[in-house]
């Protein structure tokens, strides 16, 4: 069975500081990893996925299979980045199928 | 495209009553997923449906819960004889019938169920 762990429930940084939201997973196969974000009073939306190798809103995430991690990083945080962030995993080998979510990290960026 | 629609947004039921939660997927999407978020927890998968078929119900409680996605109309998550522990936010997501990068799950705003 797969599992996703986000060890930090709350994370606070100041504007302009680097930010890293941690995500670790356990899964015996080849996973597909995602980061979802939920801004205040908005629905959950996809931020990025590892197979895209893209940078969205300045955020990047690298899948490290050796450390089974998919940490989300941004070199200079902005106030509008304040939100709830969820890391999620989908079992590899299936294009469809359920997402397994971590418990989420609330990021607060102070001015 | 209006996005995934869920209604009602808030639902209050007394113990023993039935709760019906509706989800209208995005236009062109034929895959629907239901997730539940209990207080202070992450989203947990419940069931995955395609039109008229349940594909994966491994996250559904064995009793009182059922889901359907008929040929016409929204997907319905039904909870019979609700108990206080059913109080949670229920999220629906939909995805198109493509593969790979096309297969992104788009989430609705959720239905917050409160059982008195």
């Amino acid at each position: 069975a797969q599992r996703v762990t986000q060890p930090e429930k709350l994370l606070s940084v100041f504007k302009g500081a680097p930010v890293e939201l941690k995500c670790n997973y356990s899964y015996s196969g080849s996973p597909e990893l995602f980061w979802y974000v939920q801004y205040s009073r908005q629905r959950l939306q996809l931020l990025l996925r590892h197979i895209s190798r893209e940078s969205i809103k300045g955020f990047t995430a690298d899948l490290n299979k050796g450390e089974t991690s998919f940490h989300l990083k941004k070199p200079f945080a902005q106030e509008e980045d304040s939100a709830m962030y969820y890391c999620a995993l989908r079992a590899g080998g299936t294009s469809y199928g359920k997402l397994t979510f971590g418990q989420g990290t609330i990021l607060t960026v102070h001015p | 495209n209006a996005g995934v629609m869920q209604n009602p947004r808030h639902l209050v039921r007394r113990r023993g009553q039935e709760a019906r939660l509706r989800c209208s997927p995005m236009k062109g999407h034929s895959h629907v997923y239901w997730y539940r978020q209990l207080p202070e927890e992450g989203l947990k998968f419940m069931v995955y449906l395609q039109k008229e078929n349940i594909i994966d119900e491994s996250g559904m409680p064995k009793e009182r819960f059922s889901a359907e996605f008929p040929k016409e109309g929204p997907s319905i998550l039904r909870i019979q004889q609700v108990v206080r522990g059913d109080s949670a936010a229920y999220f629906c997501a939909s995805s198109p019938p493509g593969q790979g990068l096309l297969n992104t799950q788009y989430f609705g705003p959720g239905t917050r169920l409160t059982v008195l």
Side-chain angles (χ1 to χ4, degrees):
Chain A
Q2 49 261 42
R3 186 185 179 113
V4 176
T5 302
Q6 293 178 249
E8 303 140 330
K9 193 168 183 177
L10 301 169
L11 184 62
S12 289
V13 299
F14 285 99
K15 177 182 173 181
V19 63
E20 181 180 54
L21 290 84
K22 291 185 169 50
C23 172
N24 291 90
Y25 67 90
S26 63
Y27 176 60
S28 56
S30 187
E32 191 174 353
L33 274 297
F34 305 81
W35 277 99
Y36 277 82
V37 60
Q38 187 172 28
Y39 299 103
S40 179
R41 302 185 187 203
Q42 295 186 26
R43 61 186 68 191
L44 202 62
Q45 56 186 286
L46 179 67
L47 181 61
L48 54 79
R49 55 201 299 174
H50 89 271
I51 62 172
S52 300
R53 295 184 172 275
E54 57 196 344
S55 172
I56 303 293
K57 299 185 179 183
F59 284 97
T60 59
D62 291 315
L63 178 60
N64 185 323
K65 291 187 178 181
E67 296 183 359
T68 60
S69 68
F70 188 57
H71 303 326
L72 184 67
K73 300 177 185 179
K74 184 169 183 176
F76 307 103
Q78 304 299 314
E79 289 179 67
E80 55 266 29
D81 296 329
S82 296
M84 171 73 95
Y85 291 81
Y86 292 98
C87 182
L89 176 152
R90 181 163 65 199
T94 57
S95 293
Y96 311 109
K98 64 184 180 185
L99 294 172
T100 299
F101 284 87
Q103 289 187 289
T105 298
I106 299 173
L107 173 65
T108 303
V109 181
H110 300 283
Chain B
N1 201 326
V4 178
M5 307 291 284
Q6 288 188 251
N7 68 81
R9 293 292 307 278
H10 301 274
L11 183 60
V12 179
R13 285 286 178 267
R14 296 191 180 281
R15 281 179 296 171
Q17 291 184 319
E18 179 180 285
R20 279 184 178 239
L21 288 65
R22 293 175 193 78
C23 170
S24 296
M26 289 177 69
K27 188 176 180 180
H29 288 195
S30 55
H31 301 251
V32 166
Y33 305 80
W34 285 93
Y35 295 85
R36 177 167 66 173
Q37 185 175 33
L38 295 168
E40 306 294 320
E41 295 187 18
L43 282 77
K44 290 207 167 33
F45 169 78
M46 299 181 74
V47 63
Y48 162 36
L49 310 103
Q50 294 179 24
K51 285 283 186 183
E52 299 185 280
N53 285 305
I54 296 175
I55 307 302
D56 180 356
E57 57 182 346
S58 59
M60 285 280 268
K62 293 287 183 277
E63 296 177 350
R64 301 187 297 108
F65 285 72
S66 62
E68 62 177 11
F69 188 17
K71 188 175 180 181
E72 301 291 338
S75 175
I76 307 285
L77 180 67
R78 183 181 177 209
I79 310 172
Q80 294 178 291
Q81 299 176 317
V82 294
V83 300
R84 289 222 173 103
D86 297 332
S87 295
Y90 292 82
F91 292 92
C92 168
S94 73
S95 67
Q99 295 198 15
L101 288 174
L102 292 175
N103 188 249
T104 296
Q105 291 185 26
Y106 295 85
F107 281 79
T111 294
R112 190 163 298 278
L113 173 65
T114 302
V115 180
L116 302 177

